[in-house]
Amino acid sequence: MTPDLPLIFTILMGAAILAYVVLDGYDLGVGMLMPAADAREQNIMVASIGPFWDANETWLVLGVGLLLAAFPAAHGVVLTALYLPVTAMLIGLMLRGVAFEFRIKAQGWHRELWNWLFWFGSFLASLAQGFMLGSYITGFETGFAYLLFALMVSGSVCGGYVLLGGGWLVLRTTGALQQKALGWTRWGLLWVALGVALVSLATPLASETVRGKWFDFPRTAALMLLPLASAAVWIWIWRLTGRLQRGESAPEWGPFAGAVTIYVLAFAGLAYSLFPYLVMDRITIWEAAAHPSALKVVLAGALIVLPFIIAYTVFSYRVFRGKAPDKFYD
């Protein structure tokens, strides 16, 4: 039986994008939290993401590369419609990369300047990604209402990354900084609730196909497990962070693991809603796919590269596990 190559590439691309959102999401969140910490705490925050943040962006390169190579028709439509936010995201990612390196050697007000630029780069990249998501799920429609919705989703994505960043810092820090991180995590939870609500309301309104897939009862009754599970995890994180704030015994890995779970559940719901379209109600994965001969070559390359990316990711997280040290880069 001939494998369904477009479906295989859709799964690979989706997995790469999800990995990027989770892994680079937490270090973008940490970057956006920098102004809320003092100088010593900022050093610890940078140390907590230092060994990982650059490699985390590899997943973005892989996801976009698969879109370009496997789905050239959709690639042209998506990146043309999102040209400006993609440019803003790249500027933000480059700016935070430069700021990260320069702040290590800077002294005095120069370090403070690079800290602020690191925050701005993280915020700009997160805001642009949220805008892209808001535009994508409405099928790139134009108009004030769609623009306002995309901006609201942008803010929610920033808050969602703060949730990931706060959960990461709870896991990687101690003392006063960890207590701050618990507060940041709870604040991020509120933004995530807003973002999930916005996307859940807008997606069926934007597409008749999605409405049919969501409200075809009783066939879609099992789909209700996703929002119920998300709500249960949300409540669990809220209670867990409260216990940790009061000094009670609770797993420090819980907030970050819970945040990742919420993202996985939300991504599963979004994937179900959009499939089989790469562009809402316009281009399916089979219509956008490259020629089978090209897909076979790209798949062979992906299967060679992907194990190395996974192995390096696992290895780096294992080597640099534990609490983040102070003065890691000094």
Side-chain angles (χ1 to χ4, degrees):
M1 180 180 295
T2 303
D4 192 336
L5 291 176
L7 182 59
I8 292 173
F9 274 99
T10 300
I11 295 172
L12 288 176
M13 186 175 67
I17 293 173
L18 178 60
Y20 169 77
V21 168
V22 169
L23 295 178
D24 205 38
Y26 79 73
D27 64 58
L28 285 167
V30 171
M32 285 187 286
L33 291 169
M34 290 281 282
D38 61 35
R40 178 181 174 276
E41 291 170 341
Q42 288 174 345
N43 289 336
I44 298 174
M45 292 165 70
V46 169
S48 75
I49 64 173
F52 315 112
W53 73 274
D54 206 10
N56 290 341
E57 295 177 358
T58 303
W59 294 101
L60 176 63
V61 176
L62 177 63
V64 175
L66 289 175
L67 175 63
L68 171 63
F71 305 106
H75 177 275
V77 173
V78 172
L79 291 191
T80 298
L82 299 177
Y83 181 81
L84 289 179
V86 166
T87 302
M89 180 188 71
L90 294 177
I91 291 173
L93 293 177
M94 289 187 291
L95 183 59
R96 70 193 287 264
V98 172
F100 185 93
E101 299 297 336
F102 274 79
R103 73 168 298 281
I104 296 172
K105 296 297 183 181
Q107 299 293 330
W109 68 269
H110 289 96
R111 172 169 288 197
E112 186 66 20
L113 173 63
W114 289 116
N115 284 337
W116 277 102
L117 290 174
F118 186 68
W119 165 83
F120 179 73
S122 301
F123 175 72
L124 180 61
S126 303
L127 197 69
Q129 290 175 18
F131 190 89
M132 286 189 281
L133 174 62
S135 299
Y136 181 75
I137 63 178
T138 55
F140 310 119
E141 294 288 345
T142 58
F144 177 76
Y146 293 104
L147 175 62
L148 180 61
F149 172 77
L151 291 174
M152 293 177 68
V153 173
S154 296
S156 299
V157 167
C158 290
Y161 284 168
V162 165
L163 170 62
L164 286 169
W168 177 257
L169 291 174
V170 171
L171 176 64
R172 297 277 291 174
T173 63
T174 59
L177 179 54
Q178 187 184 63
Q179 286 296 312
K180 286 185 178 181
L182 289 167
W184 296 332
T185 301
R186 291 166 74 88
W187 182 78
L189 275 172
L190 300 176
W191 276 102
V192 164
L194 173 63
V196 171
L198 287 172
V199 173
S200 299
L201 288 172
T203 307
L205 291 176
S207 169
E208 184 177 347
T209 302
V210 174
R211 283 198 301 275
K213 294 177 72 173
W214 280 27
F215 302 112
D216 184 15
F217 294 106
R219 188 176 64 86
T220 57
L223 185 64
M224 296 299 104
L225 293 175
L226 290 176
L228 290 175
S230 298
V233 175
W234 193 98
I235 294 171
W236 179 70
I237 299 174
W238 187 268
R239 291 181 174 178
L240 181 63
T241 51
R243 290 170 57 193
L244 288 169
Q245 284 180 322
R246 294 189 296 270
E248 299 176 9
S249 178
E252 294 181 344
W253 52 263
F256 183 70
V260 172
T261 302
I262 289 176
Y263 268 83
V264 171
L265 291 171
F267 190 86
L270 185 62
Y272 170 82
S273 302
L274 297 177
F275 185 82
Y277 292 98
L278 280 178
V279 179
M280 181 79 78
D281 294 338
R282 291 166 57 186
I283 304 177
T284 67
I285 60 174
W286 295 282
E287 293 170 341
H291 191 273
S293 60
L295 292 178
K296 290 178 182 178
V297 174
V298 176
L299 180 61
L303 293 178
I304 294 173
V305 172
L306 192 58
F308 286 97
I309 298 176
I310 295 173
Y312 174 78
T313 300
V314 172
F315 177 75
S316 62
Y317 277 85
R318 178 172 176 79
V319 169
F320 295 101
R321 66 188 180 277
K323 298 297 182 181
D326 191 8
K327 300 181 179 179
F328 187 75
Y329 289 99
D330 290 342

